Amino acid sequence: MNTKQTIALVTGANKGLGFEISRQLAQKEIMVLLAARDPQKGTEAVEKLQLEGLDVEVIQLDVTDSASITTAAQQIRDRFGKLDILINNAGIYLDRNVQPSELDINTLQQTFAVNFFAVFNVTKTFLPLIKLSQAGRIVNMSSTLGSLGDTLDPNSPYFDFRGMAYQSSKTALNALTVQFAKELADTSIKINSVCPGWVKTDLGTTDAPLNVEQGADTPVWLATLPADGPTGGFFNSRQPLAW
Ligand SMILES: NC(=O)c1ccc[n+]([C@@H]2O[C@H](COP(=O)([O-])OP(=O)(O)OC[C@H]3O[C@@H](n4cnc5c(N)ncnc54)[C@H](OP(=O)(O)O)[C@@H]3O)[C@@H](O)[C@H]2O)c1
């Protein structure tokens, strides 16, 4: 059952960075499972990439739904017997420009549900399948906005950005990366956090300076790291970023 082909799963991949990461991985002859919570949107996205001749299939996955995660993992186990690359990409940014004192607790909880708890649940559920890979790679889509060092730096271009829910969810995600990296230190699995840069997507808005091709570069690099590549790090533009 264990296929020699490299299999990747990208969450929240029906649009934006997840879609472009799926494209770039498939261009490297990797078989990509494009995950979408809405199967219709996922199918439409897959059809676009298949028209480019790429090996991409849709899989239904709502990262906040444990049953959906378990079903997807079972489908991948039955079909491929392993998972090589997991990109925890699905994310939301609901509190742009909201001050902490104005933040609704429901927004905070909703943000953590997708950006943090879901990543934990997906990673934990898929880990047994990733352990069956020769060279498992996990990439967590974080943000410079989650860097405490950058947030405190008055010279940062993002110093005046506000969004405590989004920012702290990505800080927590970075902690998750470090904790899993420590547990997996003696395995061939690498897990890293990445900021793709500020990228033009529905989340990044049209104000962003980068396009999705640029934004996907470092996540794809981390997804395809060689055996001597880093683990437990936080990267932007293929360079380490302050925690
Ligand atoms: N764009 C930037 O400048 C930027 C910068 C730093 C980090 N990031 C991170 O990069 C990642 C991708 O962002 P993006 O800019 O590509 O955003 P985007 O265009 O808004 O896409 C977000 C994706 O996440 C999916 N999603 C949301 N909730 C989900 C759920 N419960 N289950 C499954 N999928 C879900 C969305 O699906 P639907 O279409 O169904 O809503 C969509 O496919 C995020 O983690 C984001 O925080 C982005």
Side-chain angles (χ1 to χ4, degrees):
M1 162 61 69
N2 209 328
T3 172
K4 284 188 177 149
Q5 194 179 16
T6 303
I7 312 295
L9 174 71
V10 186
T11 70
N14 53 285
K15 66 177 185 178
L17 282 157
F19 180 72
E20 179 60 24
I21 290 166
S22 298
R23 170 187 274 134
Q24 292 189 18
L25 288 174
Q27 285 170 341
K28 293 180 180 293
E29 310 293 319
I30 291 166
M31 200 271 155
V32 175
L33 298 166
L34 184 153
R37 59 178 161 175
D38 179 335
Q40 181 62 33
K41 287 184 190 170
T43 300
E44 286 166 15
V46 158
E47 283 170 358
K48 283 184 207 155
L49 296 180
Q50 286 175 342
L51 278 175
E52 297 174 21
L54 298 172
D55 192 5
V56 180
E57 288 183 22
V58 69
I59 187 161
Q60 197 278 334
L61 181 55
D62 181 335
V63 297
T64 59
D65 178 351
S66 290
S68 167
I69 299 169
T70 307
T71 301
Q74 192 58 50
Q75 286 171 349
I76 295 172
R77 181 181 287 278
D78 292 347
R79 182 90 185 281
F80 304 104
K82 62 156 185 174
L83 180 66
D84 301 289
I85 297 170
L86 169 63
I87 313 274
N88 284 309
N89 170 77
I92 53 175
Y93 186 0
L94 304 176
D95 62 331
R96 196 181 309 276
N97 299 325
V98 176
Q99 295 286 3
S101 62
E102 302 295 327
L103 177 62
D104 186 300
I105 184 136
N106 293 318
T107 303
L108 181 63
Q109 288 172 335
Q110 201 183 338
T111 303
F112 265 76
V114 178
N115 292 2
F116 179 70
F117 293 116
V119 178
F120 169 75
N121 209 7
V122 168
T123 303
K124 186 179 174 189
T125 305
F126 280 94
L127 200 53
L129 274 178
I130 298 169
K131 284 183 174 170
L132 296 172
S133 166
Q134 300 283 320
R137 302 287 180 262
I138 303 170
V139 180
N140 291 330
M141 293 293 279
S142 184
S143 170
T144 304
L145 294 178
S147 159
L148 291 175
D150 191 86
T151 301
L152 290 164
D153 179 2
N155 296 316
S156 165
Y158 306 116
F159 186 72
D160 291 326
F161 276 51
R162 291 291 178 275
M164 194 198 94
Y166 182 77
Q167 294 185 258
S168 59
S169 72
K170 296 298 189 182
T171 310
L173 175 61
N174 285 347
L176 179 156
T177 297
V178 169
Q179 293 298 330
F180 271 100
K182 289 176 77 173
E183 180 181 346
L184 298 168
D186 295 331
T187 74
S188 60
I189 299 173
K190 298 184 185 303
I191 176 166
N192 289 287
S193 277
V194 60
C195 175
W198 186 13
V199 181
K200 280 185 184 62
T201 62
D202 288 346
L203 184 151
T205 77
T206 51
D207 294 336
L210 302 181
N211 60 38
V212 287
E213 288 81 5
Q214 295 166 308
D217 177 75
T218 304
V220 169
W221 170 68
L222 290 170
T224 54
L225 284 173
D228 61 354
T231 189
F234 183 24
F235 296 91
N236 173 235
S237 300
R238 303 194 180 198
Q239 298 298 320
L241 195 58
W243 294 105

